[in-house]
Amino acid sequence: MEYNLSRHSVGYCGRFLDTVNEQLVDFDLTLPDYCPDIEKILKCTLVPKIYTRSISGGQLTVDGVAVVRILYCDSVRHHVRSFEQSSPFSATFSLKSTPQQYIVVCDTKCEYINCRALSPRKLVIHGAFSLYAKVLCKETSDFYSFDEDSDLQTKLKDITVSDLCALCEEQFSVTEDITVSNKPPVESLLSYDVSVEITDLKSISNKLMLSAELTLKAMYLSDLDSGNIEHISYVFPVSKIIDCDGIMEDTVNVPKLEVMSYDLHIRNDHLNDGSLLSLDVKLSFCDIAYMNKTLNIIEDAYSTSYKTEKKHTVANAFCNHTCETFTHIAKSTIKLDGMSISKVLNIYSQNLRVSETVSDSQLDLSCKANVCMLIEDAKSDVSYIERSVDVDFKPNVDHTFTKAEFNSAKVHSVSFRLVDDSTVEIRLELKISVVLFDALSLNPVTYIKALEDKKCEKDDCSLILYFADKGESVWDISKMYSTKNELLMSENSLENSVLDKSQMLLVPTE
């Protein structure tokens, strides 16, 4: 006789696809007529931008452009100039099937970029970037409970797990007209970058109220004749209502907001005269939401009437999810041997990489950031410097956990101080988001069958004397004599499931 069982499913976030694809960037670049000749290349930068990512026909397709920006000194006035050119790319990743509920997460990393001048106006570009693609989907683990039966004894354990209740993503665009006030108007853009940061996220029934800040940082020429360089730092709010089925007010959210692509250009009309910029940004938001769920799993079971055949199944579950953001200030000193600095024209950080480890509920974060500087010496010669800065720190967490997963990271700000004409002290403000949780390894009963041709042998007497040792399990004694566990505890006035001393027990056989 097979006992009836009820199945309870618990959702978790599985990796349907987790791969990387290298994309080559090779083309010839010729400066347009309005750009002066190149005297010296300061920096060649490769910035991949993603336009679309979609799943159809058993494959993931990611489309975008690789933007190559050349920062150089011109051969006429020896001023800093810039030019950029885009090369489209399209990457496909095969899927074994199409998941029902999923989100797509993509990331890029420039591996290398080389530019070689064939002439003062023509360059050969050769580079590559890695395109990381993940498809996260909802998967389930099954747990079982048994319907009540008079002769079936069950050893129960209550556990609270994180049940994946929602996966959602949305891409949306933001446009902003930026007035250049209290600064000279823009004659030519040299470089610019856009970042985004979530400032607030509220859950209501099946919706998320997202608030964020977009930050634009740009370097530009205000006068083509003098080569005067200016900077813009502009921050503006973004709000969005995201539809997300399954979201409730008390869900634990793991959000991620990323800049997919961006473009900044000068509004060229007679009214603005370089004082108005137009910014177009495409953002991608995704959220993984969990709800606490209590399960009553069966660790062991037996029948008081028959021998049984049962099966245990290893099941993994996760609990106590929290998404935490840590802020850390790091300082580093950069020594430029053989060079002198009279002025720092620009300083920024890019390609922040983070790895995490956990030991005894202590989170260790290892970060590597590239610090980039555009400097000018006493002779007004401009040079580009890039240095790697390693940062390791242990953030304080006020609760226990066994696992951690990196979520997102950014260099919130970069500042500097000239120590002397060849030494720069750098101050980096890092913001790193990490998901902390516990992992449970369980081995519950998932199947039990009574062998009706093998009855349990019992003595004729109603009580058996059993001399128990300290530390013995009352459950194991009950199972050994095929008696009801609650009767054994009641007969001997036991309160604990494990004996705290050696003693004689009266074992009922009914």
Side-chain angles (χ1 to χ4, degrees), residues 237-276:
V238 175
S239 60
K240 183 73 173 177
I241 298 176
I242 309 291
D243 292 326
C244 191
D245 291 339
I247 286 287
M248 304 293 288
E249 291 184 4
D250 54 350
T251 53
V252 177
N253 297 302
V254 181
K256 184 189 288 285
L257 182 61
E258 299 175 298
V259 176
M260 294 178 63
S261 62
Y262 56 92
D263 182 56
L264 180 69
H265 61 272
I266 306 170
R267 286 280 294 270
N268 293 316
D269 58 65
H270 67 281
L271 295 177
N272 296 313
D273 193 26
S275 62
L276 187 65

mmCIF file of all heavy atoms in Angstrom, residues 237-276:
data_model
loop_
_atom_site.group_PDB
_atom_site.id
_atom_site.type_symbol
_atom_site.label_atom_id
_atom_site.label_comp_id
_atom_site.label_asym_id
_atom_site.label_seq_id
_atom_site.Cartn_x
_atom_site.Cartn_y
_atom_site.Cartn_z
ATOM 1 N N PRO A 237 16.666 63.007 -11.811
ATOM 2 C CA PRO A 237 15.910 61.846 -11.336
ATOM 3 C C PRO A 237 15.186 61.113 -12.462
ATOM 4 O O PRO A 237 14.831 61.697 -13.487
ATOM 5 C CB PRO A 237 14.918 62.452 -10.345
ATOM 6 C CG PRO A 237 14.696 63.839 -10.864
ATOM 7 C CD PRO A 237 16.010 64.281 -11.468
ATOM 8 N N VAL A 238 14.959 59.827 -12.229
ATOM 9 C CA VAL A 238 14.194 58.977 -13.140
ATOM 10 C C VAL A 238 13.210 58.187 -12.297
ATOM 11 O O VAL A 238 13.564 57.659 -11.241
ATOM 12 C CB VAL A 238 15.110 58.010 -13.912
ATOM 13 C CG1 VAL A 238 14.287 57.051 -14.770
ATOM 14 C CG2 VAL A 238 16.098 58.769 -14.774
ATOM 15 N N SER A 239 11.972 58.121 -12.745
ATOM 16 C CA SER A 239 10.965 57.311 -12.050
ATOM 17 C C SER A 239 10.213 56.473 -13.071
ATOM 18 O O SER A 239 9.997 56.898 -14.210
ATOM 19 C CB SER A 239 9.997 58.190 -11.255
ATOM 20 O OG SER A 239 9.315 59.084 -12.111
ATOM 21 N N LYS A 240 9.806 55.304 -12.629
ATOM 22 C CA LYS A 240 9.144 54.377 -13.543
ATOM 23 C C LYS A 240 8.296 53.396 -12.738
ATOM 24 O O LYS A 240 8.716 52.927 -11.669
ATOM 25 C CB LYS A 240 10.187 53.608 -14.359
ATOM 26 C CG LYS A 240 9.633 52.667 -15.400
ATOM 27 C CD LYS A 240 9.060 53.386 -16.606
ATOM 28 C CE LYS A 240 8.661 52.418 -17.705
ATOM 29 N NZ LYS A 240 8.034 53.101 -18.865
ATOM 30 N N ILE A 241 7.099 53.078 -13.248
ATOM 31 C CA ILE A 241 6.265 52.037 -12.667
ATOM 32 C C ILE A 241 6.460 50.772 -13.501
ATOM 33 O O ILE A 241 6.230 50.772 -14.713
ATOM 34 C CB ILE A 241 4.786 52.446 -12.639
ATOM 35 C CG1 ILE A 241 4.599 53.696 -11.769
ATOM 36 C CG2 ILE A 241 3.921 51.302 -12.116
ATOM 37 C CD1 ILE A 241 3.179 54.220 -11.764
ATOM 38 N N ILE A 242 6.917 49.704 -12.852
ATOM 39 C CA ILE A 242 7.228 48.456 -13.537
ATOM 40 C C ILE A 242 6.153 47.426 -13.210
ATOM 41 O O ILE A 242 5.857 47.168 -12.034
ATOM 42 C CB ILE A 242 8.602 47.912 -13.092
ATOM 43 C CG1 ILE A 242 9.685 48.998 -13.208
ATOM 44 C CG2 ILE A 242 8.972 46.669 -13.896
ATOM 45 C CD1 ILE A 242 10.029 49.396 -14.603
ATOM 46 N N ASP A 243 5.545 46.837 -14.234
ATOM 47 C CA ASP A 243 4.606 45.736 -14.022
ATOM 48 C C ASP A 243 5.382 44.465 -13.708
ATOM 49 O O ASP A 243 6.311 44.089 -14.433
ATOM 50 C CB ASP A 243 3.744 45.513 -15.266
ATOM 51 C CG ASP A 243 2.790 46.671 -15.520
ATOM 52 O OD1 ASP A 243 2.318 47.265 -14.537
ATOM 53 O OD2 ASP A 243 2.535 46.987 -16.699
ATOM 54 N N CYS A 244 5.001 43.802 -12.623
ATOM 55 C CA CYS A 244 5.722 42.601 -12.199
ATOM 56 C C CYS A 244 4.747 41.674 -11.481
ATOM 57 O O CYS A 244 4.473 41.851 -10.285
ATOM 58 C CB CYS A 244 6.899 42.983 -11.295
ATOM 59 S SG CYS A 244 8.042 41.634 -10.961
ATOM 60 N N ASP A 245 4.223 40.707 -12.204
ATOM 61 C CA ASP A 245 3.253 39.772 -11.628
ATOM 62 C C ASP A 245 3.895 38.947 -10.518
ATOM 63 O O ASP A 245 4.987 38.397 -10.684
ATOM 64 C CB ASP A 245 2.716 38.824 -12.708
ATOM 65 C CG ASP A 245 1.832 39.544 -13.713
ATOM 66 O OD1 ASP A 245 1.329 40.635 -13.366
ATOM 67 O OD2 ASP A 245 1.649 39.033 -14.833
ATOM 68 N N GLY A 246 3.188 38.880 -9.395
ATOM 69 C CA GLY A 246 3.683 38.103 -8.253
ATOM 70 C C GLY A 246 4.302 38.943 -7.157
ATOM 71 O O GLY A 246 4.555 38.446 -6.059
ATOM 72 N N ILE A 247 4.568 40.218 -7.439
ATOM 73 C CA ILE A 247 5.154 41.108 -6.436
ATOM 74 C C ILE A 247 4.115 41.469 -5.383
ATOM 75 O O ILE A 247 2.972 41.778 -5.710
ATOM 76 C CB ILE A 247 5.694 42.386 -7.105
ATOM 77 C CG1 ILE A 247 6.997 42.081 -7.863
ATOM 78 C CG2 ILE A 247 5.921 43.489 -6.100
ATOM 79 C CD1 ILE A 247 8.183 41.840 -6.968
ATOM 80 N N MET A 248 4.537 41.423 -4.135
ATOM 81 C CA MET A 248 3.687 41.837 -3.018
ATOM 82 C C MET A 248 4.461 42.853 -2.177
ATOM 83 O O MET A 248 5.665 43.074 -2.384
ATOM 84 C CB MET A 248 3.286 40.632 -2.161
ATOM 85 C CG MET A 248 2.586 39.518 -2.935
ATOM 86 S SD MET A 248 0.959 40.004 -3.551
ATOM 87 C CE MET A 248 0.046 40.043 -2.021
ATOM 88 N N GLU A 249 3.761 43.461 -1.220
ATOM 89 C CA GLU A 249 4.387 44.495 -0.401
ATOM 90 C C GLU A 249 5.530 43.964 0.448
ATOM 91 O O GLU A 249 6.471 44.693 0.761
ATOM 92 C CB GLU A 249 3.331 45.151 0.501
ATOM 93 C CG GLU A 249 2.320 45.997 -0.262
ATOM 94 C CD GLU A 249 1.355 46.708 0.661
ATOM 95 O OE1 GLU A 249 1.527 46.595 1.890
ATOM 96 O OE2 GLU A 249 0.437 47.378 0.152
ATOM 97 N N ASP A 250 5.462 42.680 0.843
ATOM 98 C CA ASP A 250 6.481 42.144 1.738
ATOM 99 C C ASP A 250 7.490 41.241 1.038
ATOM 100 O O ASP A 250 8.196 40.470 1.684
ATOM 101 C CB ASP A 250 5.825 41.374 2.888
ATOM 102 C CG ASP A 250 4.861 40.294 2.392
ATOM 103 O OD1 ASP A 250 4.569 40.267 1.192
ATOM 104 O OD2 ASP A 250 4.400 39.500 3.239
ATOM 105 N N THR A 251 7.572 41.307 -0.286
ATOM 106 C CA THR A 251 8.572 40.509 -0.988
ATOM 107 C C THR A 251 9.968 41.094 -0.792
ATOM 108 O O THR A 251 10.142 42.290 -0.583
ATOM 109 C CB THR A 251 8.263 40.427 -2.493
ATOM 110 O OG1 THR A 251 8.093 41.751 -3.018
ATOM 111 C CG2 THR A 251 7.025 39.621 -2.756
ATOM 112 N N VAL A 252 10.959 40.214 -0.873
ATOM 113 C CA VAL A 252 12.357 40.628 -0.842
ATOM 114 C C VAL A 252 12.823 40.773 -2.282
ATOM 115 O O VAL A 252 12.836 39.790 -3.037
ATOM 116 C CB VAL A 252 13.231 39.609 -0.092
ATOM 117 C CG1 VAL A 252 14.697 40.025 -0.136
ATOM 118 C CG2 VAL A 252 12.769 39.464 1.346
ATOM 119 N N ASN A 253 13.195 41.988 -2.685
ATOM 120 C CA ASN A 253 13.535 42.261 -4.079
ATOM 121 C C ASN A 253 15.043 42.318 -4.276
ATOM 122 O O ASN A 253 15.775 42.859 -3.449
ATOM 123 C CB ASN A 253 12.923 43.594 -4.522
ATOM 124 C CG ASN A 253 11.416 43.568 -4.479
ATOM 125 O OD1 ASN A 253 10.785 42.742 -5.114
ATOM 126 N ND2 ASN A 253 10.835 44.465 -3.703
ATOM 127 N N VAL A 254 15.478 41.759 -5.407
ATOM 128 C CA VAL A 254 16.875 41.866 -5.846
ATOM 129 C C VAL A 254 16.857 42.594 -7.191
ATOM 130 O O VAL A 254 16.752 41.972 -8.249
ATOM 131 C CB VAL A 254 17.533 40.486 -5.979
ATOM 132 C CG1 VAL A 254 18.991 40.634 -6.413
ATOM 133 C CG2 VAL A 254 17.439 39.715 -4.666
ATOM 134 N N PRO A 255 16.915 43.933 -7.170
ATOM 135 C CA PRO A 255 16.797 44.700 -8.419
ATOM 136 C C PRO A 255 18.150 44.965 -9.063
ATOM 137 O O PRO A 255 19.195 44.980 -8.396
ATOM 138 C CB PRO A 255 16.161 46.007 -7.937
ATOM 139 C CG PRO A 255 16.733 46.194 -6.554
ATOM 140 C CD PRO A 255 16.938 44.814 -5.981
ATOM 141 N N LYS A 256 18.107 45.199 -10.362
ATOM 142 C CA LYS A 256 19.302 45.591 -11.109
ATOM 143 C C LYS A 256 18.876 46.577 -12.185
ATOM 144 O O LYS A 256 17.974 46.282 -12.980
ATOM 145 C CB LYS A 256 19.991 44.386 -11.742
ATOM 146 C CG LYS A 256 21.303 44.710 -12.467
ATOM 147 C CD LYS A 256 21.809 43.518 -13.250
ATOM 148 C CE LYS A 256 22.346 42.444 -12.340
ATOM 149 N NZ LYS A 256 23.684 42.816 -11.798
ATOM 150 N N LEU A 257 19.509 47.743 -12.206
ATOM 151 C CA LEU A 257 19.222 48.770 -13.203
ATOM 152 C C LEU A 257 20.519 49.091 -13.923
ATOM 153 O O LEU A 257 21.511 49.467 -13.287
ATOM 154 C CB LEU A 257 18.636 50.018 -12.544
ATOM 155 C CG LEU A 257 18.228 51.170 -13.463
ATOM 156 C CD1 LEU A 257 17.135 50.737 -14.436
ATOM 157 C CD2 LEU A 257 17.769 52.374 -12.657
ATOM 158 N N GLU A 258 20.524 48.928 -15.241
ATOM 159 C CA GLU A 258 21.746 49.077 -16.018
ATOM 160 C C GLU A 258 21.535 50.044 -17.182
ATOM 161 O O GLU A 258 20.426 50.152 -17.721
ATOM 162 C CB GLU A 258 22.198 47.728 -16.587
ATOM 163 C CG GLU A 258 22.501 46.679 -15.546
ATOM 164 C CD GLU A 258 22.811 45.344 -16.200
ATOM 165 O OE1 GLU A 258 21.930 44.794 -16.873
ATOM 166 O OE2 GLU A 258 23.943 44.866 -16.020
ATOM 167 N N VAL A 259 22.607 50.700 -17.574
ATOM 168 C CA VAL A 259 22.618 51.520 -18.785
ATOM 169 C C VAL A 259 22.998 50.612 -19.951
ATOM 170 O O VAL A 259 24.099 50.058 -19.986
ATOM 171 C CB VAL A 259 23.616 52.682 -18.666
ATOM 172 C CG1 VAL A 259 23.674 53.461 -19.982
ATOM 173 C CG2 VAL A 259 23.223 53.608 -17.517
ATOM 174 N N MET A 260 22.074 50.448 -20.893
ATOM 175 C CA MET A 260 22.364 49.625 -22.066
ATOM 176 C C MET A 260 23.124 50.423 -23.117
ATOM 177 O O MET A 260 24.125 49.968 -23.668
ATOM 178 C CB MET A 260 21.071 49.079 -22.662
ATOM 179 C CG MET A 260 20.332 48.105 -21.771
ATOM 180 S SD MET A 260 18.774 47.536 -22.513
ATOM 181 C CE MET A 260 19.364 46.689 -23.979
ATOM 182 N N SER A 261 22.623 51.631 -23.412
ATOM 183 C CA SER A 261 23.266 52.488 -24.410
ATOM 184 C C SER A 261 22.939 53.933 -24.092
ATOM 185 O O SER A 261 21.983 54.223 -23.381
ATOM 186 C CB SER A 261 22.804 52.131 -25.836
ATOM 187 O OG SER A 261 21.410 52.336 -25.974
ATOM 188 N N TYR A 262 23.733 54.839 -24.625
ATOM 189 C CA TYR A 262 23.505 56.268 -24.404
ATOM 190 C C TYR A 262 24.160 57.057 -25.528
ATOM 191 O O TYR A 262 25.113 56.607 -26.169
ATOM 192 C CB TYR A 262 24.057 56.713 -23.042
ATOM 193 C CG TYR A 262 25.521 56.421 -22.828
ATOM 194 C CD1 TYR A 262 26.498 57.356 -23.143
ATOM 195 C CD2 TYR A 262 25.937 55.197 -22.301
ATOM 196 C CE1 TYR A 262 27.842 57.091 -22.956
ATOM 197 C CE2 TYR A 262 27.274 54.919 -22.112
ATOM 198 C CZ TYR A 262 28.223 55.867 -22.434
ATOM 199 O OH TYR A 262 29.554 55.594 -22.244
ATOM 200 N N ASP A 263 23.615 58.267 -25.739
ATOM 201 C CA ASP A 263 24.156 59.146 -26.766
ATOM 202 C C ASP A 263 23.955 60.589 -26.321
ATOM 203 O O ASP A 263 22.888 60.953 -25.811
ATOM 204 C CB ASP A 263 23.462 58.892 -28.112
ATOM 205 C CG ASP A 263 24.050 59.762 -29.216
ATOM 206 O OD1 ASP A 263 25.277 59.692 -29.438
ATOM 207 O OD2 ASP A 263 23.280 60.520 -29.832
ATOM 208 N N LEU A 264 24.973 61.401 -26.516
ATOM 209 C CA LEU A 264 24.927 62.813 -26.159
ATOM 210 C C LEU A 264 25.348 63.618 -27.373
ATOM 211 O O LEU A 264 26.377 63.333 -27.999
ATOM 212 C CB LEU A 264 25.872 63.092 -24.981
ATOM 213 C CG LEU A 264 25.933 64.536 -24.472
ATOM 214 C CD1 LEU A 264 24.626 64.919 -23.790
ATOM 215 C CD2 LEU A 264 27.110 64.712 -23.512
ATOM 216 N N HIS A 265 24.562 64.608 -27.715
ATOM 217 C CA HIS A 265 24.937 65.459 -28.841
ATOM 218 C C HIS A 265 24.525 66.907 -28.585
ATOM 219 O O HIS A 265 23.628 67.190 -27.779
ATOM 220 C CB HIS A 265 24.321 64.953 -30.160
ATOM 221 C CG HIS A 265 22.829 64.931 -30.161
ATOM 222 N ND1 HIS A 265 22.091 63.851 -29.707
ATOM 223 C CD2 HIS A 265 21.921 65.865 -30.577
ATOM 224 C CE1 HIS A 265 20.807 64.115 -29.842
ATOM 225 N NE2 HIS A 265 20.671 65.332 -30.356
ATOM 226 N N ILE A 266 25.202 67.795 -29.273
ATOM 227 C CA ILE A 266 24.929 69.227 -29.147
ATOM 228 C C ILE A 266 23.721 69.572 -30.006
ATOM 229 O O ILE A 266 23.609 69.137 -31.157
ATOM 230 C CB ILE A 266 26.154 70.052 -29.593
ATOM 231 C CG1 ILE A 266 27.406 69.598 -28.832
ATOM 232 C CG2 ILE A 266 25.922 71.536 -29.390
ATOM 233 C CD1 ILE A 266 28.687 70.194 -29.378
ATOM 234 N N ARG A 267 22.800 70.340 -29.425
ATOM 235 C CA ARG A 267 21.652 70.816 -30.198
ATOM 236 C C ARG A 267 22.121 71.921 -31.138
ATOM 237 O O ARG A 267 22.399 73.051 -30.720
ATOM 238 C CB ARG A 267 20.573 71.344 -29.263
ATOM 239 C CG ARG A 267 19.815 70.253 -28.529
ATOM 240 C CD ARG A 267 18.741 69.615 -29.396
ATOM 241 N NE ARG A 267 17.702 70.567 -29.702
ATOM 242 C CZ ARG A 267 16.628 70.752 -28.949
ATOM 243 N NH1 ARG A 267 16.469 70.049 -27.838
ATOM 244 N NH2 ARG A 267 15.721 71.632 -29.287
ATOM 245 N N ASN A 268 22.249 71.583 -32.398
ATOM 246 C CA ASN A 268 22.775 72.533 -33.380
ATOM 247 C C ASN A 268 21.659 73.367 -33.995
ATOM 248 O O ASN A 268 21.089 73.033 -35.028
ATOM 249 C CB ASN A 268 23.533 71.780 -34.487
ATOM 250 C CG ASN A 268 24.793 71.120 -33.961
ATOM 251 O OD1 ASN A 268 25.534 71.731 -33.199
ATOM 252 N ND2 ASN A 268 25.041 69.878 -34.372
ATOM 253 N N ASP A 269 21.316 74.445 -33.338
ATOM 254 C CA ASP A 269 20.406 75.408 -33.938
ATOM 255 C C ASP A 269 20.830 76.800 -33.476
ATOM 256 O O ASP A 269 21.579 76.960 -32.511
ATOM 257 C CB ASP A 269 18.940 75.117 -33.591
ATOM 258 C CG ASP A 269 18.687 75.094 -32.100
ATOM 259 O OD1 ASP A 269 18.836 76.141 -31.455
ATOM 260 O OD2 ASP A 269 18.349 74.014 -31.572
ATOM 261 N N HIS A 270 20.376 77.811 -34.154
ATOM 262 C CA HIS A 270 20.871 79.177 -33.932
ATOM 263 C C HIS A 270 20.464 79.737 -32.578
ATOM 264 O O HIS A 270 21.076 80.686 -32.085
ATOM 265 C CB HIS A 270 20.360 80.089 -35.054
ATOM 266 C CG HIS A 270 18.872 80.302 -35.036
ATOM 267 N ND1 HIS A 270 17.991 79.350 -35.523
ATOM 268 C CD2 HIS A 270 18.127 81.340 -34.571
ATOM 269 C CE1 HIS A 270 16.753 79.809 -35.381
ATOM 270 N NE2 HIS A 270 16.801 81.010 -34.795
ATOM 271 N N LEU A 271 19.450 79.146 -31.942
ATOM 272 C CA LEU A 271 19.014 79.668 -30.654
ATOM 273 C C LEU A 271 19.891 79.184 -29.497
ATOM 274 O O LEU A 271 20.023 79.865 -28.485
ATOM 275 C CB LEU A 271 17.563 79.257 -30.389
ATOM 276 C CG LEU A 271 16.505 79.832 -31.340
ATOM 277 C CD1 LEU A 271 15.140 79.267 -31.000
ATOM 278 C CD2 LEU A 271 16.495 81.365 -31.263
ATOM 279 N N ASN A 272 20.492 78.009 -29.648
ATOM 280 C CA ASN A 272 21.200 77.411 -28.518
ATOM 281 C C ASN A 272 22.678 77.774 -28.487
ATOM 282 O O ASN A 272 23.250 77.992 -27.426
ATOM 283 C CB ASN A 272 21.037 75.894 -28.556
ATOM 284 C CG ASN A 272 19.587 75.487 -28.363
ATOM 285 O OD1 ASN A 272 18.920 75.975 -27.473
ATOM 286 N ND2 ASN A 272 19.103 74.615 -29.229
ATOM 287 N N ASP A 273 23.339 77.784 -29.641
ATOM 288 C CA ASP A 273 24.739 78.189 -29.725
ATOM 289 C C ASP A 273 25.616 77.380 -28.775
ATOM 290 O O ASP A 273 26.471 77.898 -28.066
ATOM 291 C CB ASP A 273 24.876 79.680 -29.417
ATOM 292 C CG ASP A 273 26.264 80.215 -29.796
ATOM 293 O OD1 ASP A 273 26.887 79.613 -30.695
ATOM 294 O OD2 ASP A 273 26.698 81.193 -29.179
ATOM 295 N N GLY A 274 25.399 76.058 -28.741
ATOM 296 C CA GLY A 274 26.237 75.184 -27.923
ATOM 297 C C GLY A 274 25.903 75.179 -26.451
ATOM 298 O O GLY A 274 26.646 74.603 -25.657
ATOM 299 N N SER A 275 24.816 75.795 -26.053
ATOM 300 C CA SER A 275 24.458 75.838 -24.635
ATOM 301 C C SER A 275 23.426 74.784 -24.258
ATOM 302 O O SER A 275 23.006 74.713 -23.114
ATOM 303 C CB SER A 275 23.921 77.224 -24.269
ATOM 304 O OG SER A 275 22.738 77.504 -25.010
ATOM 305 N N LEU A 276 23.014 73.968 -25.225
ATOM 306 C CA LEU A 276 22.009 72.945 -24.956
ATOM 307 C C LEU A 276 22.481 71.607 -25.511
ATOM 308 O O LEU A 276 22.868 71.494 -26.673
ATOM 309 C CB LEU A 276 20.664 73.325 -25.583
ATOM 310 C CG LEU A 276 19.476 72.427 -25.228
ATOM 311 C CD1 LEU A 276 19.156 72.523 -23.737
ATOM 312 C CD2 LEU A 276 18.247 72.821 -26.042
#
